[in-house]
Amino acid sequence: MAQEYFSKDHEYLRVSGDTATVGITLHAQKELGDVVFVEGPEIGQHFKAGEAVAVVESVKAASEIYSPIDGLILEVNTVLESNPALVNEDAEGAAWFFKLKIIKPDQLTILMSRTDYEKFIAESI
Amino acid sequence: MTHLSNAPLKRTPLYSHHVFAGAKFIPFSGYEMPLHYNSGILEEHKWTRENAGLFDISHMGVAHLLDKNRSYDSVAQALELLVPSEVRSLAPGCQRYTQLTNVNGGILDDLIIARPIDLENEGKLIIVVNASRKDQDFAHISSYLPKNVSLQPQKGYVLLAIQGPASSEVLTYHDTRAKDMPFMSVAMRTIADTQVQVGRSGYTGEDGFEMLVPLSKAGEIWKSLLSDTRVKPVGLGARNCLRLEAGLCLYGHDIDEKTSPIEACLTWSIQKSRRNSGGFLGDQRILSELRNGPFRKRVGIKPAEKILAREGTEISDMYGNHIGHVTSGGFGPSVNGPIAMGYVLTASAKIGTNIMLRIRGRNCPAVITSLPFVHHRYKR
């Protein structure tokens, strides 16, 4: 069973072994509105926590997706390039952005659980 | 576009109706305006192109220009000093798009001027200006008026727009004479039992109407128009992509105090007599650009990939020379792809010219395209 983590930038990480599947939350896609463009990273790229990894553009604006932890890109969801609207339809399912190899597992401890994330959203409204 | 000062945001008289319709609000020119409603920008955009969208545009500035002796000619003469378009030749029951220019030929604002058809309004012009510019515009105009002509800002009205192919039938249900109004005409029509100044015009490229409704009846008319199943409320988000697809300028972005109407490719709005004789603020530059061509020009831009080019994106030619920048850009829902407008050096402005857009550190290929991106469907 994968473990879920959430960042303050509204990304989720689904961790299985040393791999994290990263995407944006249901709440984030709702705030963005209709997504019309996604630009992902390239396999083999290295990112530090807080660095911009991907770009998601809605009809309203462009937003960057930050890497919540240090990692190496293992896989990129290329379906989103041809079907960016999938982010609105299934943000926390089929519309994951990329898979990361976790380098510093300690970094996961500063992220939020789903319960904490839901509390965080409720407080920020 | 955004709200910069600390002044509290104003609400339109229809605020509670927007809340009821599920609006998500944004600050715009000092007003709290609906960005979109429950269905979202894409859906509202498509609905407007296929049915009819209802827009609250009451943040815009409305004023009357009035001669105390009811002489239209003297109103026209006064305004012709401030705009490059011909005002004298505007027939009763017609409206015209024009710009307020400064002494350097830059654009202070773009506006619609309408000449009412009814006799009791003889000697009067209705002017509609942008929300962000209304205070400056009204002060500017007033400072140039002769004693006999006065500018009277109107606060007792709410401006609504209904846009899209079904709008004519929707209004015709209220007043059978609505469908026969030609594009850019104005007339008094009856909507929900209220006399309303209606113009056949808009900011989407679609057939449609703009309505100046009395403040006390605004809510009633809003609800009455929405009770037609062909009509849905549409926010500023869709309004922006509709006008971008239609190749229409947004003040403060595609035109500003440095841009001339010639550079902005608004030459069509300057009638022949005025191109020859001038006689308006900034005529020196504008007439010179008409004779010699402008230094740079507003163009349509189509990125070759799916990447979106937002306002401020740098444009270069294929040799890497900087030639201009994007002034409006985003996703065109009806085009189903990215579109943009911007200014480039005249030598690079020819339709079909290949250019490069600098987006997030990468050169993205694009091509200069004719405007509009989506054909206008005005009632001619």
Side-chain angles (χ1 to χ4, degrees):
Chain A
M1 183 64 190
Q3 186 86 30
E4 279 182 330
Y5 298 92
F6 294 84
S7 77
K8 286 186 174 168
D9 296 317
H10 307 283
E11 287 121 6
Y12 65 83
L13 289 85
R14 205 158 283 144
V15 175
S16 181
D18 64 353
T19 304
T21 303
V22 182
I24 65 167
T25 64
L26 278 171
H27 171 77
Q29 70 78 22
K30 193 160 177 265
E31 286 296 302
L32 280 171
D34 307 298
V35 173
V36 291
F37 176 77
V38 171
E39 189 173 63
E42 275 168 33
I43 292 170
Q45 274 186 296
H46 239 275
F47 291 98
K48 283 206 150 52
E51 284 184 332
V53 181
V55 173
V56 54
E57 299 223 36
S58 73
V59 275
K60 288 182 217 169
S63 311
E64 291 188 316
I65 308 295
Y66 305 102
S67 185
I69 54 171
D70 293 14
L72 172 76
I73 302 293
L74 298 173
E75 213 178 315
V76 177
N77 190 357
T78 52
V79 173
L80 300 185
E81 283 171 30
S82 51
N83 183 18
L86 192 62
V87 177
N88 297 114
E89 289 154 22
D90 196 10
E92 295 187 14
W96 54 274
F97 278 63
F98 50 87
K99 292 186 181 178
L100 270 182
K101 184 178 165 65
I102 301 167
I103 293 167
K104 298 175 181 163
D106 286 0
Q107 289 177 325
L108 293 172
T109 58
I110 58 163
L111 298 172
M112 290 177 274
S113 67
R114 184 175 283 277
T115 321
D116 288 347
Y117 176 66
E118 276 163 9
K119 218 181 284 173
F120 168 73
I121 306 173
E123 281 164 8
S124 57
I125 290 170
Chain B
M1 187 142 177
T2 45
H3 183 65
L4 296 174
S5 77
N6 289 321
L9 291 173
K10 285 180 262 188
R11 287 177 173 178
T12 93
L14 294 168
Y15 182 82
S16 63
H17 294 270
H18 299 316
V19 173
F20 179 76
K24 184 172 167 66
F25 293 92
I26 48 152
F28 183 86
S29 302
Y31 286 80
E32 207 173 345
M33 296 299 292
L35 176 64
H36 60 80
Y37 301 85
N38 283 329
S39 50
I41 296 173
L42 277 186
E43 187 55 39
E44 289 171 20
H45 178 108
K46 287 174 185 161
W47 187 268
T48 306
R49 291 256 185 262
E50 287 161 18
N51 300 283
L54 184 62
F55 302 76
D56 175 4
I57 48 172
S58 57
H59 56 309
M60 297 187 82
V62 181
H64 291 164
L65 262 185
L66 186 66
D67 175 65
K68 70 172 182 203
N69 301 315
R70 302 268 163 174
S71 155
Y72 178 73
D73 281 345
S74 87
V75 171
Q77 202 182 341
L79 191 60
E80 280 195 356
L81 178 66
L82 307 176
V83 303
S85 305
E86 213 171 63
V87 184
R88 265 171 278 204
S89 61
L90 185 65
C94 289
Q95 51 181 340
R96 192 162 272 178
Y97 170 81
T98 188
Q99 309 87 36
L100 288 168
T101 45
N102 63 25
V103 285
N104 302 318
I107 302 173
L108 292 170
D109 200 3
D110 59 344
L111 68 159
I112 292 281
I113 59 174
R115 183 177 179 187
I117 195 163
D118 43 310
L119 274 176
E120 63 188 277
N121 279 317
E122 184 56 30
K124 183 194 282 181
L125 260 182
I126 303 171
I127 68 172
V128 180
V129 303
N130 283 299
S132 59
R133 304 294 289 177
K134 59 186 170 191
D135 296 341
Q136 294 100 306
D137 287 352
F138 292 164
H140 168 75
I141 296 171
S142 298
S143 73
Y144 280 93
L145 292 179
K147 278 208 173 76
N148 53 315
V149 179
S150 62
L151 179 105
Q152 302 167 347
Q154 300 294 307
K155 299 227 158 131
Y157 295 95
V158 167
L159 203 55
L160 300 178
I162 184 165
Q163 301 280 297
S167 6
S168 173
E169 281 179 40
V170 172
L171 285 203
T172 299
Y173 169 80
H174 292 269
D175 189 324
T176 51
R177 299 166 298 169
K179 65 175 187 299
D180 301 321
M181 291 176 66
F183 181 58
M184 293 306 270
S185 67
V186 285
M188 292 303 283
R189 292 290 178 257
T190 309
I191 301 171
D193 303 320
T194 305
Q195 284 286 298
V196 173
Q197 182 85 45
V198 176
R200 195 150 198 169
S201 50
Y203 195 44
T204 60
E206 295 297 325
D207 182 20
F209 302 83
E210 291 172 304
M211 301 163 277
L212 206 48
V213 311
L215 186 58
S216 60
K217 298 284 183 181
E220 213 174 299
I221 289 174
W222 176 265
K223 278 197 288 189
S224 171
L225 289 170
L226 281 181
S227 69
D228 191 310
T229 55
R230 293 167 292 193
V231 185
K232 280 188 179 176
V234 177
L236 289 185
R239 185 169 162 84
N240 191 47
C241 37
L242 287 160
R243 71 91 197 164
L244 178 57
E245 284 186 340
L248 302 171
C249 294
L250 175 61
Y251 192 84
H253 301 260
D254 308 300
I255 47 177
D256 58 29
E257 290 188 27
K258 292 197 177 114
T259 326
S260 80
I262 312 305
E263 290 177 326
C265 295
L266 300 172
T267 309
W268 57 268
S269 67
I270 307 175
Q271 284 69 28
K272 207 174 164 196
S273 70
R274 311 227 69 204
R275 293 184 202 183
N276 296 330
S277 58
F280 51 88
L281 292 184
D283 56 0
Q284 206 177 344
R285 171 181 174 191
I286 290 169
L287 265 50
S288 151
E289 286 183 355
L290 276 167
R291 276 193 304 271
N292 310 317
F295 174 65
R296 54 176 194 154
K297 264 172 130 173
R298 181 171 64 97
V299 292
I301 298 160
K302 188 101 187 60
E305 301 165 7
K306 287 191 162 186
I307 200 161
L308 306 189
R310 303 280 183 181
E311 181 176 1
T313 300
E314 297 284 326
I315 306 172
S316 62
D317 64 16
M318 299 309 277
Y319 304 102
N321 304 307
H322 174 78
I323 54 166
H325 66 280
V326 169
T327 50
S328 278
F331 183 77
S334 304
V335 172
N336 193 25
I339 51 171
M341 291 198 294
Y343 284 82
V344 295
L345 300 179
T346 304
S348 303
K350 224 177 124 199
I351 289 159
T353 306
N354 289 313
I355 54 169
M356 288 288 190
L357 303 171
R358 190 84 181 156
I359 305 172
R360 292 186 287 275
R362 193 159 73 80
N363 280 329
C364 306
V367 64
I368 305 287
T369 314
S370 63
L371 292 171
F373 295 101
V374 171
H375 284 294
H376 294 162
R377 296 198 285 177
Y378 302 138
K379 159 94 176 172
R380 298 286 186 183

